[in-house]
Amino acid sequence: MSEPKKLFIKTYGCQMNVYDSERMSEALGGQGYVETKTPDDADMILLNTCHIREKAAEKVYSELGRFKGLKAEKPDLKIGVAGCVAQAEGEEIMRRQPLVDLVVGPQSYHRLPEMEAKTRAGEKALDTDFPEEDKFEKLKNRPKAKRGPTAFLTVQEGCDKFCAFCVVPYTRGAEVSRPADRIIREAHDLVERGVREITLLGQNVNAYHGAGPDGDMTLAGLIWELNKVDGLERIRFTTSHPNDMADDLIEAHGTCDKLMPYLHLPVQSGSDRILKRMNRSHTAESYLRLIERIRAARPDIVMSGDFIVGFPEETEEDFQATMDLVEEVKYGYAYSFKYSTRPGTPAAERAQVDPAEADDRLQHLQALITRHQREIQDGMVGRTVRVLFEKPGRLPGQMVGKSEYLHSVHVKGPEIAVGDLKEVRITESGANSLAGELL
Ligand code: 5AD
Ligand code: SF4
């Protein structure tokens, strides 16, 4: 038998890219590749790129430039670019960086094996189509290897919302939901391989409307089906849009025992004027009322969100409205970003906020978020949580896992194994994690 070829994948960006990288690795596994942790001994390098913020494309070009030496030493080395930068730049990547052999957009990963073969024949391979077929169905030839206790599972992709700042509708395409039976089959398969917690992924996950046995299923319907899977202990989902928070999904947060009390629900801004310019189609008030209803269903839920500061035309007053909203919601986690221009999106054409001003706002917002985050985390001390243990901690004999609320929890105990789900009393709150002892 010939030596397996080595594949190095570098993943940027969101959890969906992490999931996609796993699928690409499995697809190329069928071509005789095994993954390696360094580009130095690779036969193929794939950059799975993200285009959401900052100078994404420029970073990819500079990263590619660094492979020049490797390629000179090893002419058989194939270099590919996948993900949203591949989708956005297309052929331009090969033009600007001739050492690239392969460019594949997120909707074409199932075509990787053929594309790889093409590169082996000395040709360039490019595919940034939005084909009709279900790529994940075609990517199914996965080996039955054991896995860690947590996994991502993509249920929905793309977005029809067209927020004025966002490239996702262009790079990931229109909203498409996978049929429920395929997702459930994949969940069973993950559980057989040791997974106990699944995070359902989608750019607009709560807009899920995949085909079920009796017509389209909602995300809540899908979650209830997954709730029946023996051996699966926890269900999470991300990322949601406020306008798709349907009644059955809100209710599931109160009644579905495997659905975890954590919800990522980006609002982006607290100013109605800016929300309108962002094309968000909700107001600060409607968002706050929505959170009230979610908290009525599940009072201990930990909320998380995303914010953009310095969106074009944002005034000090608009920013203050964002601070007020954050003050009212009190997020357990929140991700805030300085607006970054994405060519081709409507907001790119508008009057930009002074960058120094935007930096200043970002700092203030992050300080407030951090304070709330810390308060909520500190509030866990003395409480009993259930921890799903994921890996050994830094100290000897220590294990780390996640609570229901997604806090990292460190516990000492030689009797704990990866994949155990145990009751833990929280004794301490540190900078970024909790510590506790087994009950
Ligand atoms: N600039 C800054 N942040 C952005 N996001 C999306 N597009 C941009 C942009 N152009 C943020 C949003 C989104 C998160 C994934 O990234 O907050 O929810
Ligand atoms: Fe982008 Fe999310 Fe808006 Fe869709 S809903 S356009 S993915 S920010």
Side-chain angles (χ1 to χ4, degrees), residues 270-285:
S271 153
D272 288 345
R273 205 180 68 88
I274 293 298
L275 285 170
K276 196 157 188 183
R277 282 169 164 66
M278 286 177 164
N279 192 31
R280 287 290 294 182
S281 61
H282 59 77
T283 62
E285 183 63 21

Side-chain angles (χ1 to χ4, degrees), residues 52-53 165-166 266 268 306-308 337-340 342:
I52 197 97
R53 285 177 295 272
F165 49 81
C166 186
Q268 313 296 356
D306 290 346
F307 292 89
I308 296 178
F337 313 102
K338 195 164 78 155
Y339 170 72
S340 106
R342 306 285 77 199

